[in-house]
Amino acid sequence: MSAPLACVVLPHFPLQLLGRRMPDCLENPAVVVAEDRPQGLVREVNRLARTARILPGMRYAAALTLCADLRAGVVEARDEALAAMELSELLRQFSPRVEPSSEEPGVFWLDTAGLTTLWPDLQVWAHAVADALRTAQMRAAVVVGYARFAAYAVARHFHGVHVIDSPERQASLVGRVQLASLGAALGLPPATRDALALLGIHTLGQFLALPAEGLRERHGEPVWSLYQRANDRLAEPLRPHLPAQPLELARDITPPDDQRDRLLFVAKGLLVELLRRVADQRQSVAVLHLRLELERPHRDRKRDDPGYREAAPVVDMAVRAAEPTLYEPQWLDLLRIRLDATRLPACAERMTLRAETQPATASQLRLWQLLAEAGGLTRRDLTKGGEALAQLRAALGDDAVVVASLQPCHLPEAQVRLLPAQTLCSPKPPEPAPQQQLVRRLRSSPLRLPTRPKREPDGWLLSDWRMGAVVRLWGPFRLSGGWWVRQVQRDYYYALTERGDLLWVFYDEVRRLWFQTGEVG
Amino acid sequence: MSAPVRLHDLPATETLQQLRNQLAGALQRKGISAHHGGLRTALRLPEASTAVDRSPLALPELVGRLVEVAAPHGHDRSPYGNNSSLLAAWAGTTWAAGLVAEAQRAGETAAWVLCGEARDGEAATTAVRGAARTKARTDHPTDDLTNINHEPPRRVPRAPPVGPRAWRIPFAPDLRAAGIDLAALPLVRAAHSAEVLQAADVLLRSGAFGLVIADWPARTPTPGDGAMGRLLGLCQRHEAALVFLSAPYTDDAHADQGAGEAGGALGSLVSLRLEAWRTMTAPGAFTLHVAVRKDKRRGPGWHDEAPRSGPAGIG
């Protein structure tokens, strides 16, 4: 059972965002549509619209025929992401570790460890969280529970504030949660839910009573994954997001100057670098703050003069684009216009450029990279990389620099072929496997292990006594073949030692010897 | 460098595809071929996620820094009981593979420097350390006279080891499953720790690599501040990250040495020191733990966990 944590669920998140943007949606029938056109699909429906028999999945034109007073608006994924960021900042006032759900916008998990020393109890804390969200015009359910999914499920089904006092109570509440209450991303697919409803299974309690393997076989991995989550069998630690660090660059202007063109030249150098850093973080610039520190009036004074310690005069200005953008010429234009309109009382000796950012859209990032590459701003010079590899070959030997190539073979060492690396190429990474796995290391030549004695009073000791004895073996995984050239017959095992080493070993049936071929690291 | 393409000079478009075509045409008119490698790559960019990894372990946070991934130090966090050292459960390779995948997804180039060891499994430098120390004494007879500040003895220059070498190479199918383009990941097989530093220096100096992973063998004396300072300067100049995996071998001799501060083996110029280990939560299911033990920017204390599955067959 995990440590206590809290889950904050904002039901009908897109609809609530629409209500914040268009307050008259709260008192009239309102829907969130996927696109702003008559054929756009209805995504979310408020209670008044549902009374008018408007349901999600309808076309907007059809919904309008049912209710002439219908209010509608588009809430894009980016709007939801921005709102989630804003609410994360708000929730960070109540817990330093806040994780917004990447699967379902409007769901947040908060670490409650140590909060009872700051708050009288978690009940007060949970109510304070709900009140703060209400002030931000958001309706939320706050549940403090003992497991990640359980807290989420209870928050989705039982609205309001709940502090679960024991794991047993949590299990009882989770058992009563309706499957239909769970969100689309973290719950069951509608087809599966309907299929289960035909069998009379409506609650999580009934769902968890089903045989696990049967569920996996009949309904596939997503349902199996939900089953594991609901049973708290998946290791899902809290992965909080850190608050954004301001992106800021500064440069001294030597000699100090007040000429617009020269200042703009300095700003351009900073801007290019700043935009690159912003794009690296998959953000886009919404506002640029420019700070000019002017020459100090006391520059020529002596230390004992009264004005010596006066702070340097500073000129602050900010420019805001119509839309957040990474397009450098647009920002330069805005800076030029602002500098034109500013009269500096003295020469500037230091310039600081700071960016306020928002998440960038995928197309913005693509466009930025496209223009950067077309403009010859590619960050890494692959030719120089190839020269470095050649230097290493000369220094360490021709076979010292290699790249791995996969081969369709069975033996582990035959699956990898090391080819000389002549040049450095730009990476085109494949899609990672859905379930990340531990990475093994393969020895370039298997290490021969001592012969296994018949009597092992201290257990089976491998090459190093410090590892301790083998406490568990997985295997054998037999590989045999090659009889037409050189027969290979090996039994592969994973051996877990007392110290925790997970070694990859095999027994060579032909040579009757044990070898270590690698380890899990 | 060609002149920038101004978006407001282009005709309005309805879709992104049309915008791409417009851009390709405009760039061609400015003398940049539509078959330009970078342009083609950019046009094929997959849908980028807008999610931002703001953890102190994300690649942008490591740029310009020396990072050490050590084994957990001490017995109090042992998942296998108080009588066992935690070095065995070290999982730096898995964490480093994830970092390389992240770098490649961001368009960065990466390289991995491996350190050899004697074929019998003993760490490379162990056999030659005594001989090298003797040699250092005889080569620099005036060291004691010039050491007016009473500094500790200078570190021993490492003599090249003799005999056949063996390397523990990250298993390529696992790297590919982690999302790494193997063709764009050069593996440099260094024979010993001095060659590891040399290789890292050459790679970083070229400015062509954004991330260099380097294995640092156990039982190796701490490298000199001069070499580490040079590497740090190269990282900062070329905006690259150098990550030392200081315990890639299941060997607890380095813990006994007590080298460096807080279990570190690479000296004080390391800006970020991590401990990475794994625990088995269920048969076939593991958790990768990463704890920050030293962070010159944010301070220590960060702890991250991520689920990982074991290799096929464990379960």
Side-chain angles (χ1 to χ4, degrees):
Chain A
M1 188 65 67
S2 313
L5 53 76
C7 182
V8 175
V9 172
L10 285 78
H12 306 291
F13 189 51
L15 204 55
Q16 293 203 53
L17 292 181
L18 185 68
R20 266 206 322 188
R21 202 166 67 198
M22 300 163 54
D24 59 335
C25 288
L26 300 174
E27 296 162 0
N28 291 290
V31 295
V32 176
V33 289
E35 295 168 276
D36 188 8
R37 61 193 186 101
Q39 295 304 311
L41 284 176
V42 173
R43 284 175 57 201
E44 292 269 353
V45 179
N46 73 356
R47 189 174 48 80
L48 291 170
R50 197 176 284 273
T51 312
R53 292 177 298 166
I54 298 171
L55 296 173
M58 280 182 172
R59 301 283 177 191
Y60 174 54
L64 209 54
T65 61
L66 294 173
C67 178
D69 287 341
L70 187 65
R71 268 69 168 167
V74 178
V75 178
E76 294 179 352
R78 189 161 164 272
D79 299 332
E80 295 183 34
L82 282 176
M85 277 177 59
E86 178 199 332
L87 292 171
S88 293
E89 291 295 327
L90 175 70
L91 292 173
R92 208 167 279 123
Q93 298 171 10
F94 294 91
S95 168
R97 287 160 55 88
V98 178
E99 178 194 343
S101 169
S102 56
E103 296 160 291
E104 192 172 322
V107 176
F108 303 86
W109 281 277
L110 285 75
D111 190 0
T112 58
L115 290 180
T116 46
T117 56
L118 299 172
W119 296 78
D121 58 32
L122 288 176
Q123 190 83 34
V124 178
W125 175 84
H127 278 287
V129 171
D131 289 344
L133 288 168
R134 199 173 302 119
T135 310
Q137 301 176 3
M138 302 301 286
R139 189 166 46 85
V142 184
V143 170
V144 180
Y146 288 86
R148 191 181 168 95
F149 184 83
Y152 163 76
V154 173
R156 289 287 306 196
H157 185 75
F158 303 97
H159 304 298
V161 175
H162 297 270
V163 177
I164 303 170
D165 50 5
S166 68
E168 294 75 23
R169 170 79 177 144
Q170 174 177 278
S172 134
L173 287 173
V174 167
R176 287 159 49 196
V177 170
Q178 294 281 333
L179 291 176
S181 305
L182 302 179
L186 293 170
L188 285 173
T192 310
R193 205 172 60 212
D194 293 345
L196 291 173
L198 288 176
L199 300 171
I201 294 161
H202 301 284
T203 63
L204 263 179
Q206 293 167 330
F207 175 70
L208 293 177
L210 293 173
E213 286 304 322
L215 264 181
R216 187 178 197 171
E217 195 174 326
R218 283 169 186 270
H219 297 289
E221 287 299 322
V223 179
W224 165 255
S225 170
L226 174 72
Y227 187 87
Q228 297 283 85
R229 269 183 177 170
N231 270 318
D232 199 18
R233 285 184 191 160
L234 286 185
E236 291 185 299
L238 201 68
R239 299 178 65 81
H241 283 195
L242 285 179
Q245 299 288 326
L247 283 158
E248 187 176 284
L249 288 175
R251 184 172 294 169
D252 288 333
I253 303 169
T254 47
D257 210 331
D258 58 354
Q259 291 293 315
R260 188 208 69 181
D261 291 341
R262 190 159 189 277
L263 294 178
L264 199 63
F265 188 77
V266 176
K268 183 179 180 182
L270 292 175
L271 182 64
V272 171
E273 176 61 20
L274 192 67
L275 289 178
R276 192 185 60 67
R277 292 193 185 181
V278 171
D280 281 350
Q281 296 194 3
R282 298 184 182 282
Q283 301 275 309
S284 176
V285 180
V287 183
L288 266 185
H289 295 271
L290 181 71
R291 162 172 284 216
L292 293 171
E293 291 175 29
L294 305 182
E295 270 190 312
R296 294 161 192 258
H298 58 258
R299 177 173 286 275
D300 299 327
R301 294 182 185 179
K302 293 181 180 174
R303 278 178 180 272
D304 48 355
D305 282 356
Y308 180 77
R309 294 193 180 277
E310 280 177 15
V314 167
V315 174
D316 280 317
M317 54 189 91
V319 287
R320 180 185 295 272
E323 285 283 321
T325 179
L326 290 165
Y327 192 48
E328 176 202 328
Q330 188 176 344
W331 284 117
L332 272 182
D333 276 350
L334 292 171
L335 286 175
R336 181 180 55 77
I337 295 167
R338 180 53 61 92
L339 282 172
D340 269 346
T342 308
R343 287 184 62 84
L344 297 178
C347 293
E349 60 180 11
R350 185 175 174 79
M351 178 184 289
T352 307
L353 206 56
R354 181 165 61 85
E356 272 183 36
T357 62
Q358 288 186 3
T361 61
S363 54
Q364 278 176 333
L365 290 171
R366 273 201 299 263
L367 189 59
W368 183 83
Q369 186 161 355
L370 178 66
L371 294 175
E373 290 198 6
L377 299 176
T378 307
R379 294 194 60 200
R380 304 292 171 191
D381 186 344
L382 301 181
T383 314
K384 286 192 175 173
E387 289 170 8
L389 297 183
Q391 283 179 29
L392 286 175
R393 273 198 304 277
L396 309 180
D398 282 340
D399 57 349
V401 186
V402 293
V403 290
S405 163
L406 296 182
Q407 303 295 317
C409 299
H410 294 293
L411 288 178
E413 58 264 36
Q415 287 178 28
V416 183
R417 192 171 166 200
L418 298 177
L419 305 171
Q422 303 291 350
T423 56
L424 179 64
C425 56
S426 186
K428 298 176 187 63
E431 280 297 310
Q435 177 71 31
Q436 296 267 314
Q437 74 170 48
L438 295 174
V439 174
R440 291 166 281 185
R441 285 207 183 222
L442 183 74
R443 300 180 65 91
S444 55
S445 57
L447 176 67
R448 183 177 159 182
L449 298 174
T451 309
R452 190 173 179 183
K454 288 184 178 174
R455 291 182 184 174
E456 296 171 331
D458 297 324
W460 182 21
L461 296 170
L462 292 172
S463 59
D464 189 345
W465 61 270
R466 286 172 298 208
M467 295 179 186
V470 173
V471 292
R472 185 164 181 185
L473 271 180
W474 286 272
F477 308 105
R478 175 158 295 188
L479 288 178
S480 64
W483 52 265
W484 54 92
V485 183
R486 190 185 64 176
Q487 187 176 5
V488 173
Q489 191 170 339
R490 296 177 181 177
D491 287 341
Y492 279 87
Y493 297 86
Y494 291 103
L496 179 68
T497 67
E498 277 181 287
R499 199 176 63 174
D501 306 71
L502 196 48
L503 305 180
W504 196 8
V505 300
F506 68 84
Y507 180 69
D508 191 328
E509 292 277 2
V510 178
R511 288 189 277 179
R512 297 183 176 277
L513 289 171
W514 283 92
F515 291 89
Q516 181 190 339
T517 193
E519 62 267 322
V520 179
Chain B
M1 187 180 295
S2 58
V5 176
R6 294 190 180 279
L7 280 187
H8 41 72
D9 293 342
L10 300 176
T13 57
E14 288 287 329
T15 65
L16 186 61
Q17 183 59 45
Q18 288 172 0
L19 178 62
R20 281 183 191 143
N21 295 338
Q22 296 278 7
L23 272 170
L27 292 170
Q28 270 182 335
R29 284 194 292 280
K30 288 186 178 293
I32 301 167
S33 164
H35 299 290
H36 182 270
L39 177 59
R40 205 166 56 233
T41 309
L43 288 172
R44 282 188 197 160
L45 274 177
E47 189 70 18
S49 161
T50 54
V52 188
D53 184 359
R54 291 202 185 280
S55 84
L57 309 182
L59 184 65
E61 293 287 331
L62 308 185
V63 167
R65 306 173 80 180
L66 298 182
V67 182
E68 179 184 355
V69 185
H73 198 68
H75 301 281
D76 52 332
R77 293 183 295 276
S78 171
Y80 301 106
N82 288 335
N83 295 327
S84 61
S85 160
L86 267 179
L87 290 169
W90 186 79
T93 306
T94 301
W95 182 78
L99 189 66
V100 171
E102 183 192 342
Q104 290 196 343
R105 278 197 298 275
E108 279 286 13
T109 44
W112 200 311
V113 184
L114 307 166
C115 187
E117 60 177 14
R119 278 279 168 89
D120 62 357
E122 192 177 2
T125 50
T126 311
V128 297
R129 193 157 20 126
R133 186 175 292 133
T134 308
K135 185 172 183 301
R137 276 203 297 267
T138 53
D139 284 354
H140 304 286
T142 58
D143 269 4
D144 289 338
L145 297 177
T146 55
N147 188 9
I148 56 174
N149 295 327
H150 304 289
E151 291 172 347
R154 293 182 65 81
R155 289 175 183 94
V156 181
R158 286 166 283 279
V162 290
R165 306 277 89 196
W167 286 269
R168 305 191 192 201
I169 302 167
F171 193 43
D174 290 353
L175 293 182
R176 186 172 173 79
I180 292 175
D181 178 5
L182 297 173
L185 180 67
L187 304 172
V188 181
R189 296 191 287 185
H192 49 89
S193 55
E195 285 190 2
V196 170
L197 294 179
Q198 180 188 0
D201 189 296
V202 171
L203 294 171
L204 291 171
R205 195 174 293 279
S206 73
F209 292 90
L211 173 65
V212 175
I213 308 282
D215 287 352
W216 189 253
R219 301 185 195 177
T220 305
T222 307
D225 284 348
M228 296 298 280
R230 209 160 39 243
L231 291 173
L232 178 60
L234 291 172
C235 284
Q236 289 172 346
R237 188 187 313 161
H238 298 294
E239 295 186 356
L242 175 56
V243 178
F244 284 101
L245 305 183
S246 69
Y249 311 114
T250 51
D251 187 335
D252 59 5
H254 135 242
D256 298 339
Q257 274 184 345
E261 49 182 308
L266 287 156
S268 62
L269 287 176
V270 168
S271 165
L272 180 67
R273 177 169 297 120
L274 314 173
E275 292 178 356
W277 72 98
R278 61 178 151 75
T279 53
M280 191 161 67
T281 49
F286 293 84
T287 299
L288 172 67
H289 303 261
V290 183
V292 174
R293 298 297 175 216
K294 170 187 175 183
D295 187 345
K296 287 186 176 178
R297 287 190 189 168
R298 295 174 186 266
W302 178 270
H303 180 209
D304 194 16
E305 298 174 359
R308 290 285 185 275
S309 63
I314 297 183

